[in-house]
Amino acid sequence: MLTDLLKPTTSSPARRRVTVGEVVFGGPAVPVIAGPCAVEPGYVEHALAMRAAGASMLRGSVFKPRTRPDAFQGMGEEGLVLVEKARALTGRPVLVEPLSVEHVELLTGRVDAFMIGARSMQNTPLLRAAGRSGLPVVLKRGMAATYDEWLAAADYVLSEDNPNVILCERGIRTFETATRNTLDVSAVPVLRERTPLPVIVDPSHGTGIWSLVTPMALAAVAAGADGLLIEVHPSPEHALSDGPQQLRPATFADLMARLKPVAEAVGRAL
Ligand code: PEP
Ligand code: MN
């Protein structure tokens, strides 16, 4: 309730730590999950570059929820083989998005965490299946979802006895057309007052424009975000999805360098 939000808070809920492999969300460190929008050929080499630039974890989307049915839908199982290779070679955990209950079954045992995308936030059978898998779940905010609706979706996962939910703000639909979405940075402090769950931010989908990703990543960490999700492509102009918002590896390395003092200024580390 908004009225509850307006009450002065004496203390925020204790933070919950969610661990993916050896990566801890909700602790003193701010892990950065990086990788291309979609897994494409060359993913394994790219994953090594992500690790070298400081990524704690890899994005590995092989099923893409595209607006148009004639757009690239992801490499599917062929891409999953590349994700498994990258995971083994880099030692970094991988985050993969299932679009259906069948995908949850296919991916269980082969990935480290599930991402429930914005379009799926209210797909309750999918939320329950991801919850039952026991794997950590990164739950993105639906593009028109209120905080209450988002937290109710998180409850579907939690109610399957899975406490490992990470909330991810990825921008909401507003009247503004200059950016793809409007990144709601205030979600970070609001949710910190309302839930113990870690809150991470995706400035790539949150803005849709690569040059805005670094400033909004810095803002998110300054606001207390428990992690970041960043799209990075070796050659964004040739990307099969979301080219305009993907960083080049060198720009991502620069983001990581600029993030360090911001994290330290708010008592966190990278
Ligand atoms: C993604 O991160 O791959 C994605 C599809 O983002 P969203 O669900 O936030 O649109
Ligand atoms: Mn994308």
Side-chain angles (χ1 to χ4, degrees):
M1 295 281 290
L2 187 60
T3 44
D4 292 336
L5 290 179
L6 295 175
K7 283 186 203 144
T9 45
T10 46
S11 65
S12 299
R15 315 297 312 145
R16 177 174 303 176
R17 292 189 180 194
V18 174
T19 302
V20 185
E22 290 175 3
V23 180
V24 181
F25 293 85
V30 180
V32 177
I33 309 166
C37 174
V39 170
E40 297 180 27
Y43 179 78
V44 178
E45 297 72 26
H46 185 47
L48 286 167
M50 296 297 87
R51 183 181 69 175
S56 311
M57 190 166 157
L58 302 170
R59 282 178 57 97
S61 296
V62 296
F63 306 112
K64 293 305 299 178
R66 305 303 299 283
T67 301
R68 291 199 53 81
D70 51 0
F72 174 60
Q73 302 286 308
M75 286 182 72
E77 290 215 48
E78 207 189 319
L80 187 55
V81 173
L82 298 183
V83 172
E84 290 183 299
K85 277 194 188 146
R87 181 189 192 219
L89 202 63
T90 62
R92 294 289 187 264
V94 294
L95 176 68
V96 181
E97 176 174 6
L99 298 181
S100 65
V101 173
E102 293 72 30
H103 289 168
V104 170
E105 285 156 12
L106 173 77
L107 296 171
T108 299
R110 301 172 74 179
V111 306
D112 299 282
F114 287 127
M115 181 174 89
I116 301 295
R119 290 159 191 76
S120 300
M121 190 204 82
Q122 288 179 313
N123 181 339
T124 56
L126 181 60
L127 293 169
R128 286 193 191 281
R132 279 194 304 274
S133 76
L135 286 182
V137 176
V138 173
L139 178 61
K140 286 195 153 193
R141 181 183 191 175
M143 55 189 84
T146 63
Y147 299 138
D148 280 337
E149 288 162 343
W150 188 9
L151 292 174
D155 274 339
Y156 273 91
V157 179
L158 300 171
S159 68
E160 297 292 338
D161 275 338
N162 185 339
N164 299 314
V165 177
I166 298 166
L167 300 166
C168 179
E169 165 63 40
R170 49 76 73 201
I172 50 174
R173 186 64 66 84
T174 69
F175 54 81
E176 182 53 69
T177 55
T179 45
R180 181 179 182 183
N181 291 293
T182 295
L183 185 64
D184 180 13
V185 179
S186 54
V188 175
V190 170
L191 292 175
R192 276 187 153 239
E193 289 188 0
R194 296 193 54 189
T195 166
L197 300 174
V199 184
I200 69 170
V201 171
D202 169 357
S204 305
H205 294 89
T207 62
I209 301 169
W210 73 268
S211 61
L212 305 180
V213 169
T214 295
M216 295 314 287
L218 300 180
V221 170
D226 294 304
L228 292 171
L229 178 62
I230 311 274
E231 286 190 343
V232 187
H233 191 282
S235 173
E237 59 277 27
H238 299 117
L240 298 178
S241 60
D242 285 353
Q245 71 192 35
Q246 302 207 60
L247 299 184
R248 292 177 195 287
T251 315
F252 174 62
D254 179 61
L255 182 164
M256 293 299 290
R258 292 172 65 185
L259 204 54
K260 193 167 181 289
V262 174
E264 285 169 1
V266 294
R268 311 288 288 270
L270 279 192

